[in-house]
Amino acid sequence: MIVAKFGGSSLATADNFKAVTDIIREDAARKVIVCSAPGKRFTGDSKITDLLLYLAANYLTPRLRLKIQAEIEERFKAILKGLGLKISDLFSSDDYESYFQQDFSLLSPENRSDLLIPLGEVFSAATLAAYLSKQGYKAKFCDAGKLGLSVYWSEDAYHVHGDSLVKLRTHISKLLADHDLLVVPGFYGFDLQGCRRPLSRGGSDVTASWLAAATNSTCEIWSDVSGVYEADPNIIQEAWKIDYLSYAEMLAMARFGAQILHPEAIKPMLDAGQIMYVKNSFRPQDIGTEINSYNLAKRVAPLAVSLKHTSITTLLAINGEGIEERRDLAKKGVELLRTLDPKAQLIDEMKIPACLLFSISDEFALKAYKSLWYHFIELSGWTINADYDLELRQSQISLTDNFPDK
Ligand code: ASP
């Protein structure tokens, strides 16, 4: 079975919903679908989640509230119109009221924003379920909290509780006995009191990963890029897409800047021993990136670079299985970065699997990032897009022994 998650860019317009329906139709194994809120339609557009955050922050200012509500409603209406649906096709009147028509002004600011922020996901999932039903599927909208996704608060965010696995497995298998497809809003779960609580930003990936782990399924993450790249392709256009990654590599990349996957989406899939794919809903024929737990531990070669700004410093990482053992590369990295910023450092105290981590002042970060990519990836001769063949890959590792000097 496949749990397929569609990100906001894949669900921004009615046409996007139609394309997603085609993708679902392509493979009967796709049975659980997780939706993000509609995202940006063009550069400069707003994501629905950002509008909802803005709405929550300004809820008690009537004119502003009405303005933001009107903007959100307009976006929703355009999608429904394009799909030939009405709001009554999506929800029973009780359900509609419980999601959208509470008196949010009576709530504390935290409760108000927690209830409002995931409503874009609720809309997307209910819309997709209604559209799939119209196409002849027995599709059911399933609230993630009611399915058993429970969350707890720790370190400034909600996280999924491990107990969810058993509840999710039971509920999903029961529902799939009577339905072809379950469509689930991402990005939130219920706390112990049964209140809706959002995960951190990008959390629909986390929802999908837990649902996939609970049902021993493959997890597909669909967005508008054809996989995971060696570096942010918006910054380094020459960066190649990577065909295969290990979970440790993906985790290191996600923790230190790669936006493509939420870092908390990785552990449930790793523990379940299942495979993830990152794919492009605008180019479904592209193979994307496969993330697995195969033993690539002997790769010991740089594979990607990542960049993350924090409030204290900017972090730069070189990623690749086993790379944390390569003292030679750590030394070369520091030497290279110090030609730009004499204060650049290797952060050595926490050995992070598949990662060499450096800090650098923000003003040099972009140049340093490009330079790391060029010296450690572009010049390395390491070819990441060979058909997957462990032996071939291991023989290629020797190429990196002749790693070029800067
Ligand atoms: N819509 C939410 C966000 O923009 C959650 C998600 O897409 O995963 O962060």
Side-chain angles (χ1 to χ4, degrees), residues 3-302:
V3 174
K5 175 251 166 175
F6 293 92
S9 52
S10 304
L11 293 169
T13 65
D15 282 346
N16 295 161
F17 275 77
K18 291 179 187 167
V20 161
T21 302
D22 291 340
I23 292 169
I24 295 169
R25 195 180 288 121
E26 280 278 292
D27 191 338
R30 294 186 179 115
K31 288 192 173 300
V32 178
I33 313 299
V34 176
C35 296
S36 278
K40 294 183 183 183
R41 294 159 295 179
F42 44 82
T43 321
D45 195 18
S46 305
K47 293 181 178 185
I48 290 291
T49 307
D50 289 325
L51 290 174
L52 286 162
L53 275 159
Y54 191 43
L55 177 66
N58 294 287
Y59 205 82
L60 300 181
T61 312
R63 280 164 68 129
L64 197 47
R65 185 187 79 217
L66 290 173
K67 188 169 168 274
I68 309 162
Q69 276 174 337
E71 193 173 338
I72 296 171
E73 262 172 42
E74 216 172 281
R75 293 279 299 272
F76 286 177
K77 275 189 190 150
I79 292 174
L80 292 177
K81 186 162 177 247
L83 297 173
L85 294 169
K86 302 182 293 308
I87 200 81
S88 56
D89 299 324
L90 274 51
F91 300 103
S92 68
S93 58
D94 281 356
D95 276 351
Y96 183 73
E97 221 177 287
S98 76
Y99 285 115
F100 294 95
Q101 286 192 321
Q102 293 198 26
D103 195 346
F104 294 101
S105 59
L106 299 178
L107 303 172
S108 70
E110 291 77 34
N111 285 342
R112 178 159 54 236
S113 67
D114 284 357
L115 284 180
L116 282 169
I117 291 167
L119 286 181
E121 275 70 14
V122 170
F123 168 81
S124 285
T127 301
L128 186 62
Y131 188 65
L132 288 163
S133 303
K134 213 172 129 183
Q135 308 303 308
Y137 285 101
K138 261 185 133 189
K140 183 172 171 59
F141 165 80
C142 298
D143 187 287
K146 291 183 194 154
L147 267 189
L149 197 86
S150 46
V151 298
Y152 65 95
W153 178 261
S154 165
E155 290 178 29
D156 295 341
Y158 284 99
H159 307 275
V160 177
H161 206 293
D163 290 356
S164 307
L165 283 178
V166 178
K167 289 180 276 174
L168 289 169
R169 187 173 306 140
T170 314
H171 288 141
I172 292 174
S173 69
K174 264 197 199 138
L175 287 164
L176 280 177
D178 299 326
H179 298 88
D180 306 325
L181 291 165
L182 307 183
V183 191
V184 184
F187 187 39
Y188 71 90
F190 280 2
D191 68 9
L192 277 180
Q193 283 70 44
C195 293
R196 187 159 69 236
R197 301 293 183 191
L199 300 166
S200 47
R201 291 300 300 263
S204 299
D205 293 346
V206 182
T207 309
S209 159
W210 281 89
L211 265 53
T215 52
N216 282 322
S217 303
T218 297
C219 183
E220 293 177 341
I221 303 289
W222 292 84
S223 70
D224 59 352
V225 281
S226 289
V228 183
Y229 282 68
E230 297 165 329
D232 182 343
N234 295 315
I235 301 176
I236 300 173
Q237 283 86 16
E238 301 86 347
W240 283 23
K241 195 267 297 174
I242 305 170
D243 287 353
Y244 295 91
L245 279 172
S246 73
Y247 274 112
E249 288 165 339
M250 188 66 244
L251 180 59
M253 291 174 72
R255 278 180 68 192
F256 300 114
Q259 303 280 329
I260 191 96
L261 191 63
H262 194 298
E264 287 176 40
I266 292 158
K267 190 168 182 301
M269 291 302 286
L270 174 65
D271 291 348
Q274 297 295 328
I275 297 177
M276 290 184 105
Y277 291 92
V278 175
K279 298 206 25 119
N280 186 347
S281 67
F282 298 87
R283 294 183 55 86
Q285 70 281 11
D286 290 356
I287 60 161
T289 297
E290 177 180 327
I291 306 152
N292 59 49
S293 47
Y294 305 154
N295 183 13
L296 298 179
K298 292 179 189 66
R299 185 186 260 169
V300 289

